[in-house]
Amino acid sequence: MSKIRRRDFIKTASAGVVGMSIAGNAFSGTFQKKEQTGKRVGIIGLDTSHATAFTKALNDPSAGPEFAGFKVTAAYPKGSNDIKSSVDRIPGYTEEVKKSGVEIVGSIDDLLKRTDFIMLETNDGRLHLDQAVQVFRAGKTVFIDKPVAASLADAIAIYKLAARYKVPVFSASSLRYIPGADEVAKGSIGQVLGADTYSPATLEKTHPDLFWYGIHGVETLFTVMGTGCLSVSGTFTDDCDHVTGLWTGNRIGTFRGIRKGKSDYGGIVFGEKEILTLGRYSGYNALLAEIIKFFQSGIPPVSSEETIEIFAFMQAASESKKLGGAPVLVKSVLKEAELEADIKVNGYGI
């Protein structure tokens, strides 16, 4: 990807908004409410703490009304094949969910026969496309945990295939629901003029830098800023990533990915009416409640366009790193990834 000449930047970036809209229409879909009965939830992947946390919350006899009687009834444990931190968790997490009355099955096909809704929890985003397609073919509404995929092309392909199969799909980090973010998104401080967010950003060699863990803070950034990011640039060191996005309306949003010193989640949002410091992260239950609402309605609370733009932002950050921090157009990475995604989609022979 060539370095952007400064005099061409504003003109090209503005054109990118149109380009993103066109790209978005190709993978978006209007889903009708799925006529699924029952409240049996199946989990794919027991290599992440999210799987055990969701199971404990839903299967707790004292679970609150926000979970509407949904229960995890079966799980397919296989997650990553070669990410040691994930592979090593599978035996322990398998035994843990068994204690909550969860049946362990030997294949995704077996899981789909025994459940009504799916949480795709596999920690390794590289597996998500193939796993998701199996769920789509069965017509099951599915939540895909972060990262929705380990590449922007795979992420786009997932949403395109979901639209073709007419299956509702939703993906988000629990940091979307950090206290204050949702209220800001609904206009509590007026128009958001900018924001600075932060989170841990540990690295995993099989995933682009921010896809593995930095996605948490990036999702917070997009929750408050919304879509419309034109370009991404950054400063990258062994200890920290500091990524700057230029949004429409001359708005600037930044993300700090922490790898040294005190780690935490949070941010500051600059609005027309107020400068707001976001609250402290409070766990998974807010996200889980949104997942259950999604299972009931079939309406994703986060659009495919927004999720794809989050991944385009992170991919553009990777490209900026290769270019020594130079700005990279979001439009450019979307265009390149969509061509690759079309090849992947066609490979499934639909």
Side-chain angles (χ1 to χ4, degrees):
M1 189 174 294
S2 60
K3 188 173 180 179
I4 304 168
R5 290 182 300 172
R6 185 176 183 86
R7 64 178 179 270
D8 295 334
F9 176 74
I10 296 298
K11 179 179 178 181
T12 311
S14 298
V17 179
V18 177
M20 284 191 293
S21 177
I22 293 171
N25 290 336
F27 56 71
S28 65
T30 301
F31 300 114
Q32 300 297 319
K33 181 176 179 179
K34 300 293 290 184
E35 293 301 324
Q36 290 180 231
T37 59
K39 296 184 177 183
R40 302 172 300 170
V41 177
I43 289 180
I44 299 173
L46 296 177
D47 61 342
T48 168
S49 60
H50 296 191
T52 57
F54 290 159
T55 300
K56 287 179 181 178
L58 291 179
N59 291 20
D60 187 333
S62 62
E66 68 271 23
F67 300 144
F70 281 76
K71 303 292 181 185
V72 178
T73 59
Y76 170 63
K78 189 61 182 290
S80 178
N81 296 307
D82 57 1
I83 299 175
K84 189 175 187 302
S85 63
S86 294
V87 173
D88 290 349
R89 293 170 178 163
I90 295 174
Y93 287 167
T94 299
E95 292 305 312
E96 198 169 331
V97 299
K98 280 183 180 179
K99 295 175 183 177
S100 295
V102 177
E103 178 186 7
I104 304 302
V105 299
S107 69
I108 292 177
D109 185 56
D110 286 342
L111 182 77
L112 294 169
K113 292 174 182 175
R114 289 167 165 79
T115 54
D116 306 304
F117 300 90
I118 300 298
M119 292 181 179
L120 202 170
E121 295 295 324
T122 304
N123 212 19
D124 188 344
R126 294 172 298 172
L127 305 181
H128 284 185
L129 176 57
D130 283 336
Q131 292 175 331
V133 170
Q134 294 178 66
V135 179
F136 297 158
R137 286 172 174 163
K140 307 283 187 179
T141 299
V142 56
F143 168 75
I144 304 179
D145 215 328
K146 69 84 194 168
V148 68
S151 72
L152 176 58
D154 273 14
I156 294 173
I158 283 171
Y159 280 101
K160 285 191 172 189
L161 286 162
R164 290 194 182 188
Y165 280 104
K166 301 188 185 320
V167 171
V169 60
F170 160 46
S171 181
S173 159
S174 57
L175 269 296
R176 174 170 287 274
Y177 302 101
I178 191 172
D182 191 47
E183 291 80 1
V184 168
K186 292 175 181 176
S188 65
I189 62 173
Q191 183 186 12
V192 173
L193 304 176
D196 302 325
T197 65
Y198 57 87
S199 78
T202 52
L203 303 178
E204 164 53 48
K205 64 182 179 180
T206 59
H207 289 58
D209 288 358
L210 298 183
F211 282 54
W212 183 249
Y213 214 87
I215 184 174
H216 287 305
V218 174
E219 181 118 25
T220 303
L221 181 63
F222 272 81
T223 302
V224 297
M225 291 288 293
T227 57
C229 184
L230 301 174
S231 71
V232 177
S233 59
T235 301
F236 307 90
T237 72
D238 291 341
D239 300 333
C240 175
D241 296 327
H242 191 260
V243 184
T244 299
L246 173 63
W247 263 254
T248 54
N250 295 318
R251 300 180 303 134
I252 295 174
T254 70
F255 165 67
R256 175 179 290 272
I258 304 166
R259 285 188 291 275
K260 185 177 181 180
K262 171 65 176 174
S263 285
D264 207 340
Y265 306 90
I268 298 176
V269 188
F270 303 91
E272 285 181 305
K273 302 176 183 178
E274 185 181 345
I275 297 175
L276 178 72
T277 299
L278 298 174
R280 295 186 64 83
Y281 175 58
S282 55
Y284 300 124
N285 279 7
L287 170 61
L288 184 55
E290 290 297 323
I291 294 170
I292 297 305
K293 289 179 187 176
F294 163 63
F295 286 165
Q296 293 175 302
S297 70
I299 301 172
V302 182
S303 70
S304 57
E305 287 84 0
E306 182 166 344
T307 300
I308 291 297
E309 192 173 315
I310 288 170
F311 279 77
F313 176 97
M314 296 190 295
Q315 182 61 44
S318 294
E319 297 295 335
S320 177
K321 182 178 180 179
K322 295 173 187 176
L323 295 171
V328 172
L329 293 175
V330 172
K331 174 190 175 183
S332 298
V333 296
L334 275 170
K335 182 177 181 180
E336 182 176 345
E338 190 163 9
L339 293 173
E340 185 180 347
D342 285 337
I343 294 171
K344 292 175 181 286
V345 169
N346 292 334
Y348 285 97
I350 299 175

